Amino acid sequence: MSVSENSTITMLKEITQTFKCDSISLLDVDTFMVGTYGHRPLIRTIDIDGNEGEVQHKLLPDKTYKLGKSACTYIPSPETILFTDKEQHTVYVCDIRSGEGRVITNDKTQEPRGKCASSNGCVFICCNNSTYTRDVQYIMRLCS
């Protein structure tokens, strides 16, 4: 879509895919990395012409998710996928160059959801903090 100075929204191109997605990140200039739900693999790619691809990593769970229970984000530098499992309170950090990564599960990764990356490769994740008596959200910072 394109948004003009007077806030007019114009559809530039519609891309149809064969899977359901609920998160999207820019992989390169014309390709997106998307998190799926109700499908495997958990992460797929789609380009602006509608060509689909699969993204596999040995750390990612071998299951399907319902809408809103997982999400992924691609971090261009250092070419890392961040995948969250809200129900298992787990964050997967997957290096796609080396195939290595880490799984983060602790009392601070409660219901991980919103996330973003900084230009220096640090990742910020919004989580609940169940150690308090009220529902407190906090932002967790991960750096390589």
Side-chain angles (χ1 to χ4, degrees):
M1 290 188 279
S2 172
V3 181
S4 70
E5 288 184 15
N6 67 354
S7 298
T8 301
I9 300 173
T10 305
M11 176 69 75
L12 298 176
K13 185 172 187 173
E14 185 174 314
I15 302 171
T16 305
Q17 74 282 345
T18 61
F19 53 89
K20 297 176 184 176
C21 58
D22 69 347
S23 61
I24 188 167
S25 301
L26 190 61
L27 184 61
D28 60 38
V29 74
D30 63 354
T31 306
F32 303 96
M33 182 174 290
V34 295
T36 68
Y37 67 95
H39 290 272
R40 283 197 305 235
L42 301 173
I43 303 171
R44 299 185 63 115
T45 59
I46 189 165
D47 67 20
I48 59 172
D49 295 320
N51 299 310
E52 299 177 8
E54 296 183 4
V55 176
Q56 304 273 347
H57 194 279
K58 64 184 178 183
L59 287 183
L60 295 175
D62 186 24
K63 66 181 194 178
T64 58
Y65 287 86
K66 293 181 180 178
L67 179 63
K69 300 301 179 183
S70 69
C72 76
T73 297
Y74 176 69
I75 306 160
S77 179
E79 295 183 52
T80 301
I81 299 168
L82 184 72
F83 183 83
T84 56
D85 182 326
K86 191 173 179 181
E87 291 180 329
Q88 295 299 313
H89 312 292
T90 304
V91 176
Y92 299 85
V93 182
C94 307
D95 184 318
I96 61 174
R97 287 175 296 164
S98 69
E100 298 301 315
R102 59 188 169 148
V103 179
I104 301 168
T105 269
N106 57 44
D107 63 338
K108 295 186 180 198
T109 58
Q110 299 300 301
E111 298 180 12
R113 53 192 171 283
K115 58 206 148 314
C116 71
S118 68
S119 59
N120 68 355
C122 287
V123 177
F124 300 88
I125 306 166
C126 294
C127 299
N128 277 343
N129 189 339
S130 61
T131 59
Y132 295 100
T133 55
R134 62 190 194 287
D135 184 28
V136 176
Q137 296 183 9
Y138 77 102
I139 298 174
M140 179 171 61
R141 180 177 181 242
L142 302 173
C143 293
S144 49

